[in-house]
Amino acid sequence: MVSEGEFILKNPVWCPGCGHYAVLTALRRAVVKANLKPEEIVLVTGIGCSSRFTDFFRSYGFHGVHGRALPAAIGIKMANPRLKVIVASGDGDTYAIGMSHFIHAARRNIGITHIVMNNQVYGLTKGQYSPTSVRGFISSTSPKGNLEKPIDGVLLALSAGATYIARGFSGNLDQLIRLIEGGLRHKGYALIDVLSPCVTFNKLNTYEWFKRNILDIEQINHNPSNRLEAFKMILTSSKILIGLIYQSTEETFEDLMMSSIGGVPIDANISLGENNYENLIKEITSI
Amino acid sequence: MFFQLYRRQYNFSLDRKVYSLGILTFLTMGLDLFITIGGRAGDGSFLIGDILAKVFRFIGYDVLTYRDFPSNIRGLPTYYSVRASDKPIYAVKDFIDYLVTFELEAVEYFKRSYSENTVIIYDNSIKDIKDLDVKNYGVPFKRMSISSLGSELFKNTIALGVLTYILGIDEKHVLNILMETFMKMRKDILDKNIKAYRIGREYAIGNIEGREVAIKTIGRGGRLLLNGNEAIALGAIIAGCRFYAGYPITPATEIMELLIMHMPKYQGIAVQAEDEIAAINMIIGASYAGLRAMTATSGPGFSLMTESLSLAGMIEVPIVIVYVQRVGPSTGIATKMEQADTLQALFSGHGEFPRIVLTPGTVEEAFYMTTEAFNLAERIQCPVIVLIDQFIAQNRETVNTLDLSRVRIERGKLITSEVIGDYRRYEITDDGISPRTIPPVKGGIYLANSNEHDEKGYTAENPWIREAMVNKRLRKLEVAKKTLKELFPYKIYGYKDARIAFIGYGSVHGVILEVIERLNSKEPKAKYLQLMYLWPFPSEEINEFIHNTDKIYVIEHNAQGQVSELVKWTTGVGISKILKYDGRAFRPIDVLRVVENG
């Protein structure tokens, strides 16, 4: 059994009170519970406070460019589906610059555990509004209040065909560990959108605000395997739902890929002597 | 407008006066035919163009094809030219020998390309052309197709029957290729095409007096007919590329289609990404995980990729990008050739990092250089760009049998088994290249970090680490320089001591070869340096090459002379630019005219 300590590279440094501390702790405990080893995990991040994860979490790591953590993770997963690929990103990375990759990852149902630390503000660039900021939110780029409606990543994921959709809260560590562990054990794309307060730049959506405005879906009678029910819950609830909102079993991209190519790409023998290329040359040249 | 047409006619007669003698000499040297098939997209001119090319290849000739077509599926003019010769050919010919056309506007379009040897065979179903001062035959292709086969769809195969009769090509060779082409389709389509071919042939026997030429089988079969996109797709698979991600874009799409079709047979995966940004990040991810990975694109797509080109440079992940240039800026002309993205390929991307830019000049070179691109990417751990353009990508030419014994797979400092001890992915080494592990290798954990990082990949902003890392990465350029010199020792064509020097790369390679051959036919006066790679820039080679020359021409398909400026920058001497940017290939005469006018 691997211990939590094996996943500690460095002690994290964020603003004191940042929600991300709890998410990092939850991830470390979830990988232990899911029985994973540091070498078989690739943690992929983009840019933002959330993407500091790769500097603190010990495993193979890939810290790419803003908004593109998912396509890099998809390339890794397709190359070697045996790896456990985790993406840690923020609301800007996922729902603004990287939005299309998020939708396409969901509809591909590729086996990636995607943790979105959603603090409804851009922290690393010091406090601009984000696509999940509420209307009227005051920030350095919305001094008179944000004019745009916020994006609901959970609702989008549900529409796009994601097969594991959960929302956690940094103020509820035990549930967050469970939700991430569930995502790690899930076959296919798993979204865990985490309400992770930014104590420095978001004075509206604070821990106290969340405590008043969230509803734990697991405390009420909800069947997460019913997609229509999940839509209904999200659209009719006056509160922000947390917990496992939807989960289904569907073929994953990597399963379909492996059956179509007859194996795992990383296992392919590429040495010249082991391959018969004569037929290939014939096929391509007989136009 | 009228004035322009007039001027064009004037130029055309000028061409004839000055160069007709040269052409005659050319023809008497052996068989060298340039046949253009014209029509509107949907007329099937590409199909019979390909069939004709295959027939010529089969009976032993060197073949080079040239497609001039719009970015459109049906209705606009498309032209497919086939050059066939019993000696090696490298470029399009100055003048058309046979123009077969289903549309009368082609007759006007090609006015500047007629010589006294030109023969036009046009569809006179609608009307005859009067007063044409070029030898011509009107043949009712469309009418015959409708009356005998119930649809105009077969007029192209009828035209093939007429043309191959006039050329005196043995019927059995044409039938062979027709069978091979239509066998994959429904039986009645094959039958109707055979019938159409016979109708054309019978018509020619009855209505066209005598044969123009009698093309003999010269028995040099066994060679391949291939275009650059096909050569690159083949090269990638054979080099062990097992991951491809891309987004459709003319003129590079065929590479993706071929790889999606064939890579699975070798346990590889080729996918269509949601955009080019996703595509390049996917290949970076796949390469990080240990696969040889590639994408292919054109100007607009490459522009989207440039942010992540820097990422690959920073995290030292090997990738191969095939960059098929087309006419720009912006959407430009998607189906035409240009070399105006050369500087973008060389310099795009923020920050300083090593890259390699290879510039094959023929289809055959595109194959071998693609296989080598994967070795270079892994050995130097940097992005490698294979830079071609629409001309090489989409025009087929005869290629000698590909020699797989010339292909090697060298993966550089790749570690695939457990690492004992303190592993540092970005270890500062003498050559700048560090040992590279892939997940899940035990003991090999590291962070591929787009932030400046220390030897283990973890974020570092110390001035001394920053400087050491920049130096380490840039040292790899010196290795690249040395390796490229060994792999592609530069060749001088023509006479070593010639006073007129030509420099070119990519799709102008062929035309310069023909130009210097013609310039040197009387006295040795020209030489040519083909640039096989543009980055690291081959300054030493160029300086050595231009030593003791009177005149240096750099030939490019762009408007500003992008590489000309680089040559000027590296040599400090005056350079004459010969440029063409109308989207069409240089003919040898276009270059000769400039040279002969001094």
Side-chain angles (χ1 to χ4, degrees):
Chain A
M1 184 82 177
V2 182
S3 73
E4 196 183 323
E6 294 215 32
F7 297 97
I8 298 175
L9 178 69
K10 271 182 208 150
N11 286 325
V13 186
W14 284 293
C15 304
C18 176
H20 298 358
Y21 285 101
V23 186
L24 181 61
T25 303
L27 176 61
R28 284 179 181 153
R29 292 190 188 161
V31 291
V32 171
K33 287 185 163 212
N35 238 339
L36 295 163
K37 297 181 191 72
E39 287 86 1
E40 60 196 34
I41 295 173
V42 182
L43 177 64
V44 184
T45 57
I47 300 293
C49 290
S50 57
S51 296
R52 301 290 311 279
F53 259 51
T54 29
D55 269 325
F56 310 138
F57 183 88
R58 186 174 165 274
S59 72
Y60 273 96
F62 186 106
H63 176 60
V65 296
H66 195 29
R68 319 301 169 195
L70 275 172
I74 288 169
I76 294 166
K77 187 71 182 179
M78 286 182 186
N80 187 354
R82 287 186 295 261
L83 296 170
K84 181 55 73 179
V85 182
I86 302 168
V87 170
S89 63
D91 40 312
D93 226 18
T94 311
Y95 304 135
I97 187 168
M99 173 58 99
S100 92
H101 310 309
F102 160 57
I103 300 292
H104 291 288
R107 75 179 179 87
R108 283 185 188 111
N109 195 32
I110 186 158
I112 287 169
T113 310
H114 187 185
I115 302 165
V116 181
M117 280 154 264
N118 180 1
N119 56 16
Q120 298 161 271
V121 72
Y122 285 163
L124 197 61
T125 48
K126 301 193 174 184
Q128 298 77 28
Y129 71 94
S130 98
T132 53
S133 302
V134 294
R135 244 188 190 159
F137 180 73
I138 308 277
S139 75
S140 66
T141 50
S142 55
K144 292 183 177 174
N146 174 25
L147 304 176
E148 299 165 15
K149 264 194 200 175
I151 278 169
D152 183 345
V154 163
L155 184 58
L156 275 175
L158 195 58
S159 315
T163 53
Y164 182 97
I165 303 167
R167 185 179 272 134
F169 172 42
S170 292
N172 191 347
L173 184 63
D174 288 345
Q175 184 191 45
L176 188 54
I177 296 168
R178 248 192 310 111
L179 294 174
I180 295 175
E181 187 195 347
L184 291 168
R185 292 186 185 278
H186 177 70
K187 280 177 64 63
Y189 175 78
L191 172 73
I192 302 111
D193 178 277
V194 186
L195 305 168
S196 179
C198 173
V199 294
T200 307
F201 295 109
N202 191 339
K203 304 294 185 191
L204 176 69
N205 309 108
T206 60
Y207 286 95
E208 291 65 36
W209 186 91
F210 279 118
K211 277 174 189 155
R212 286 196 305 276
N213 285 285
I214 53 177
L215 172 67
D216 189 344
I217 203 167
E218 292 167 359
Q219 305 298 322
I220 56 175
N221 190 19
H222 170 64
N223 173 9
S225 64
N226 186 329
R227 191 158 177 237
L228 195 62
E229 181 73 10
F231 270 116
K232 213 164 144 190
M233 290 293 291
I234 298 166
L235 292 171
T236 56
S237 173
S238 58
K239 302 226 168 183
I240 302 168
L241 303 176
I242 61 165
L244 178 61
I245 290 162
Y246 179 68
Q247 183 171 18
S248 68
T249 310
E250 281 175 34
E251 275 173 313
T252 64
F253 183 94
E254 57 272 27
D255 287 341
L256 294 170
M257 174 192 78
M258 286 188 288
S259 69
S260 90
I261 70 171
V264 173
I266 196 70
D267 296 340
N269 190 335
I270 63 168
S271 76
L272 283 155
E274 302 290 323
N275 287 284
N276 176 11
Y277 292 121
E278 297 306 324
N279 278 342
L280 179 71
I281 295 172
K282 240 184 246 164
E283 278 178 80
I284 289 186
T285 53
S286 76
I287 39 170
Chain B
M1 184 67 198
F2 270 110
F3 177 70
Q4 277 188 332
L5 276 178
Y6 232 74
R7 265 184 46 141
R8 260 195 251 154
Q9 269 182 321
Y10 176 73
N11 281 345
F12 139 63
S13 53
L14 194 76
D15 289 350
R16 276 212 322 198
K17 257 181 219 147
V18 178
Y19 289 100
S20 55
L21 201 69
I23 281 299
L24 277 177
T25 331
F26 225 54
L27 277 176
T28 52
M29 281 162 62
L31 187 93
D32 186 5
L33 283 176
F34 194 46
I35 301 160
T36 296
I37 297 154
R40 290 188 169 259
D43 278 346
S45 29
F46 278 22
L47 186 67
I48 57 163
D50 264 339
I51 292 174
L52 198 62
K54 287 167 87 173
V55 169
F56 276 118
R57 179 200 66 111
F58 187 76
I59 60 180
Y61 290 85
D62 270 39
V63 177
L64 184 138
T65 69
Y66 176 54
R67 291 159 47 160
D68 180 353
F69 63 110
S71 183
N72 187 63
I73 304 303
R74 288 185 83 95
L76 293 179
T78 66
Y79 306 110
Y80 191 118
S81 301
V82 179
R83 183 174 176 188
S85 174
D86 53 13
K87 69 179 189 65
I89 43 176
Y90 310 103
V92 297
K93 252 178 88 171
D94 293 340
F95 302 107
I96 292 174
D97 296 305
Y98 290 89
L99 172 66
V100 179
T101 180
F102 305 105
E103 283 294 327
L104 300 188
E105 63 192 316
V107 175
E108 173 70 26
Y109 184 81
F110 286 106
K111 261 191 167 147
R112 289 167 68 182
S113 304
Y114 299 152
S115 74
E116 64 259 39
N117 299 310
T118 303
V119 178
I120 298 174
I121 306 160
Y122 69 97
D123 193 332
N124 69 349
S125 297
I126 295 166
K127 62 169 185 176
D128 281 306
I129 307 177
K130 306 260 168 15
D131 308 326
L132 202 58
D133 65 348
V134 179
K135 184 169 182 185
N136 66 85
Y137 301 106
V139 183
F141 297 129
K142 186 173 168 181
R143 240 185 306 137
M144 286 197 289
S145 179
I146 293 172
S147 67
S148 309
L149 293 149
S151 148
E152 69 167 284
L153 276 178
F154 304 94
K155 63 186 180 188
N156 59 342
T157 312
I158 294 177
L160 184 73
V162 173
L163 177 67
T164 49
Y165 172 76
I166 292 176
L167 296 176
I169 298 174
D170 193 329
E171 190 177 359
K172 69 169 187 262
H173 299 313
V174 186
L175 282 170
N176 255 343
I177 305 291
L178 269 175
M179 301 276 269
E180 190 189 302
T181 307
F182 291 105
M183 203 99 97
K184 300 158 202 154
M185 302 182 197
R186 286 203 328 261
K187 172 93 170 62
D188 60 315
I189 294 178
L190 170 67
D191 294 344
K192 282 183 171 172
N193 274 287
I194 301 282
K195 193 176 167 196
Y197 165 74
R198 293 234 156 87
I199 289 168
R201 191 177 162 82
E202 293 306 316
Y203 178 92
I205 293 171
N207 295 279
I208 291 173
E209 76 285 357
R211 289 181 174 185
E212 300 283 341
V213 275
I215 291 175
K216 294 273 178 304
T217 303
I218 54 176
R220 292 193 302 166
R223 287 172 313 155
L224 311 170
L225 192 59
L226 207 57
N227 70 25
N229 282 343
E230 292 160 344
I232 285 169
L234 261 174
I237 295 178
I238 291 170
C241 173
R242 291 296 178 268
F243 188 87
Y244 177 95
Y247 188 80
I249 186 167
T250 306
T253 310
E254 290 152 327
I255 296 175
M256 175 163 67
E257 289 171 339
L258 285 166
L259 292 178
I260 285 177
M261 183 178 300
H262 297 290
M263 212 186 253
K265 293 176 218 160
Y266 300 92
Q267 216 172 309
I269 176 82
V271 291
Q272 179 172 306
E274 56 268 34
D275 56 40
E276 283 90 348
I277 300 174
I280 188 169
N281 279 282
M282 284 179 185
I283 69 164
I284 291 172
S287 174
Y288 166 89
L291 290 185
R292 292 193 145 192
M294 178 177 101
T295 187
T297 188
S298 187
F302 188 86
S303 301
L304 289 178
M305 292 179 180
T306 52
E307 183 194 19
S308 298
L309 186 69
S310 290
L311 169 66
M314 184 57 144
I315 63 179
E316 305 188 47
V317 161
I319 53 167
V320 174
I321 303 175
V322 177
Y323 190 160
V324 186
Q325 298 179 83
R326 67 187 211 189
V327 170
S330 194
T331 311
I333 309 175
T335 55
K336 305 261 191 280
M337 63 188 298
E338 197 164 81
Q339 297 177 302
D341 297 351
T342 302
L343 293 187
Q344 151 137 316
L346 264 50
F347 298 120
S348 60
H350 52 291
E352 296 165 297
F353 58 93
R355 81 183 71 188
I356 291 168
V357 180
L358 304 177
T359 48
T362 65
V363 168
E364 194 171 347
E365 284 171 6
F367 171 80
Y368 291 110
M369 291 179 91
T370 300
T371 66
E372 209 50 69
F374 287 94
N375 293 335
L376 286 164
E378 289 206 301
R379 288 170 69 188
I380 318 283
Q381 297 180 11
C382 72
V384 176
I385 297 166
V386 179
L387 181 69
I388 58 167
D389 66 43
Q390 186 269 337
F391 183 86
I392 294 178
Q394 295 196 307
N395 296 321
R396 293 205 166 88
E397 56 186 56
T398 38
V399 171
N400 289 323
T401 309
L402 301 174
D403 178 6
L404 299 191
S405 70
R406 276 178 61 188
V407 179
R408 305 165 307 155
I409 293 179
E410 292 178 353
R411 306 205 62 181
K413 296 183 185 176
L414 177 69
I415 302 172
T416 53
S417 55
E418 186 171 351
V419 184
I420 311 290
D422 183 36
Y423 172 65
R424 287 166 295 154
R425 164 67 183 94
Y426 299 103
E427 186 184 339
I428 305 281
T429 56
D430 287 344
D431 59 4
I433 303 165
S434 322
R436 178 168 74 102
T437 57
I438 53 171
V441 165
K442 275 205 182 108
I445 279 182
Y446 78 98
L447 175 59
N449 193 346
S450 65
N451 284 77
E452 187 57 276
H453 42 259
D454 61 19
E455 287 184 297
K456 291 197 170 183
Y458 301 113
T459 304
E461 296 184 357
N462 297 327
W464 56 89
I465 292 180
R466 160 66 183 167
E467 207 176 87
M469 278 297 161
V470 172
N471 292 340
K472 163 197 144 50
R473 288 190 291 267
L474 293 182
R475 274 203 297 280
K476 298 193 297 182
L477 259 182
E478 296 307 313
V479 184
K481 232 179 243 178
K482 220 177 118 233
T483 312
L484 286 166
K485 254 186 204 179
E486 287 163 12
L487 287 173
F488 311 114
Y490 77 107
K491 277 178 276 182
I492 298 178
Y493 298 86
Y495 293 94
K496 199 171 167 291
D497 301 321
R499 308 295 288 188
I500 302 176
F502 290 92
I503 297 174
Y505 62 98
S507 60
V508 298
H509 171 64
V511 79
I512 304 179
L513 284 182
E514 298 224 356
V515 163
I516 61 160
E517 190 181 311
R518 278 154 76 168
L519 282 174
N520 289 340
S521 61
K522 287 178 202 130
E523 46 171 331
K525 54 182 178 182
K527 63 178 178 178
Y528 157 49
L529 171 68
Q530 181 199 2
L531 303 178
M532 307 278 282
Y533 53 91
L534 287 176
W535 205 260
F537 197 67
S539 300
E540 282 170 36
E541 288 87 339
I542 292 170
N543 275 298
E544 204 177 303
F545 171 73
I546 61 155
H547 191 65
N548 276 336
T549 53
D550 300 328
K551 189 90 182 171
I552 304 157
Y553 292 102
V554 180
I555 302 185
E556 291 179 81
H557 277 287
N558 58 49
Q560 293 179 299
Q562 301 190 354
V563 167
S564 311
E565 292 296 333
L566 293 182
V567 171
K568 220 190 282 182
W569 157 72
T570 194
T571 60
V573 301
I575 303 292
S576 301
K577 304 172 181 178
I578 302 181
L579 307 172
K580 190 169 164 72
Y581 42 92
D582 61 359
R584 274 75 177 179
F586 270 115
R587 300 171 302 167
I589 196 176
D590 300 323
V591 177
L592 283 167
R593 223 183 253 156
V594 179
V595 173
E596 284 172 11
N597 291 335

